[in-house]
């Protein structure tokens, strides 16, 4: 088997990679019949020379590979007919912008597997960057708040940044005495909680958080669905199962957090059928207190209407004017809300996150293949086989046909 590591073609370019040079070299030593090559790239966190130093071939054309591993969506022009591609396809929400890519994969009779659906027997994802997104998202949000207020300064990450370095930096500054609400309880939220605990922030129960007006140190709470919504009828507690089946029966209950928090960090999964947590008119509420929003999930015009677009690592922040509902330059007015909406937060730690991702990929996908078997995780994640939808993804046929 020959595995190719793709260059990233989606802009802005992603600097992560599925296997770092040491992982690729280790695999070749352990499995002599396994060949690994790298498509030349100027944007990868590991330069071509780092792979060549480990004895890994670097080449421009990788169409002869049996398995092609990328991170983000592949450009249509670079697709090779009949190949087996693996990357984050983002087809789950059936967004129209991705329909041409799905059609191209089908037309070229490509087998396509999506990291998003690589799960174990309990349905837990085995190859994901979410935890790291939570760590970096909180760091970026705190950095933005420091730039907005001038209370402190946090450096911009460089390619050698690690989680340990982030913790070291945050422990060394006097963090703001403000209240931060974070949403969700998945991988992203767990990464955020880890960082906050490591830097000594107070993590409070929701009721305690809402009852406190002023705090003596950075104080946080995590709000999940049962705290974010309420039944429209006003009768009874939130039924999570009912909410997932009938989100239209619920409305946002976020206003109490908006009036009690200085910073919002969004770590939740949001379905378009679910309530919008912050509508434009709520930003104009005289009691609205939030002035910094870190939308790690980056659902554009989604649950948080101030997320007008994704931002980039080079320019992570922009302002939302609550009265015009338009974007303005970052930190341009104290009356604006500053937004951090970088949708590739783990790219701030490209070497560390790539190594972690590679370890998971080796364990659950590559090692089984090198030993002559296809793992259940890879089978579950395969959306197309030779251009045809596999049984679990037949529902996408209507998206392709009607989109």
């Amino acid at each position: 088997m020959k595995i190719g590591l793709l260059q990233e073609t989606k802009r802005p370019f992603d600097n992560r990679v599925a296997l770092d040079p040491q992982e690729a070299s280790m695999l070749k030593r352990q499995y002599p019949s396994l060949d690994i090559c790298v498509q030349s790239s100027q944007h990868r966190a590991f330069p071509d020379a780092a792979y060549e130093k480990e004895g890994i071939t670097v080449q421009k054309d990788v169409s002869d590979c049996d398995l092609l591993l990328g991170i983000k969506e592949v450009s249509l022009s670079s697709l090779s007919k009949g190949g087996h591609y693996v990357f984050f396809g983002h087809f789950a929400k059936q967004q129209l912008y991705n329909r041409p890519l799905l059609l191209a994969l089908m037309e070229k009779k490509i087998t396509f597997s999506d990291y998003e659906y690589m799960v174990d027997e309990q349905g837990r994802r085995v190859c994901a960057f979410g935890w790291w997104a939570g760590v970096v998202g909180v760091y970026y949000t705190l950095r933005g708040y420091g730039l907005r207020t001038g209370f402190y300064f946090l450096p911009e990450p460089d390619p050698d940044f690690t989680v340990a370095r982030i913790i070291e930096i945050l422990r060394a500054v006097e963090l703001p005495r403000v209240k931060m609400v974070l949403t969700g309880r998945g991988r992203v939220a767990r990464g955020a909680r880890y960082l906050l605990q490591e830097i000594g922030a107070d993590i409070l129960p929701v009721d305690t958080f809402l009852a406190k007006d002023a705090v003596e140190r950075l104080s946080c709470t995590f709000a999940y669905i049962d705290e974010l919504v309420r039944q429209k009828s006003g009768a009874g507690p939130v039924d999570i199962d009912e909410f997932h089946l009938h989100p239209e029966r619920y409305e946002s209950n976020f206003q109490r957090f908006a009036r009690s928090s200085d910073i919002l960090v969004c770590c939740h999964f949001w379905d378009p059928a679910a309530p919008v947590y912050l509508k434009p008119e709520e930003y104009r509420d005289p009691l609205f207190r939030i002035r910094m929003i870190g939308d790690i999930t980056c659902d554009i015009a989604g649950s948080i209407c101030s997320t007008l677009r994704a931002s980039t690592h080079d320019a992570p922040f922009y302002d939302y004017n609550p009265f015009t509902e338009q974007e303005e330059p970052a930190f341009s007015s104290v009356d604006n809300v500053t937004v951090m909406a970088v949708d590739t937060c783990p790219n701030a730690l490209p070497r560390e996150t790539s190594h972690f991702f590679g370890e998971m990929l080796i364990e659950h996908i590559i090692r089984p293949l090198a030993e002559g078997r296809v793992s259940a995780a890879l089978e579950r994640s395969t959306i197309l086989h030779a251009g045809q939808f596999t049984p679990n993804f037949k529902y996408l046929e209507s998206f392709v046909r009607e989109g």
Side-chain angles (χ1 to χ4, degrees), residues 61-86:
D61 183 6
V62 291
S63 59
D64 62 332
C65 294
D66 302 293
L67 189 67
L68 294 157
L69 304 175
I71 299 296
K72 289 289 191 179
E73 299 101 315
V74 174
S75 66
L76 303 188
S77 60
S78 66
L79 290 171
S80 298
K81 188 173 182 179
H84 186 169
Y85 284 80
V86 189

Side-chain angles (χ1 to χ4, degrees), residues 297-318:
T297 57
C298 195
D299 286 314
I300 298 170
S303 62
I304 307 296
C305 73
S306 54
T307 304
L308 302 175
R309 62 173 176 85
S311 56
T312 66
H313 293 272
D314 292 335
F317 313 108
Y318 57 85

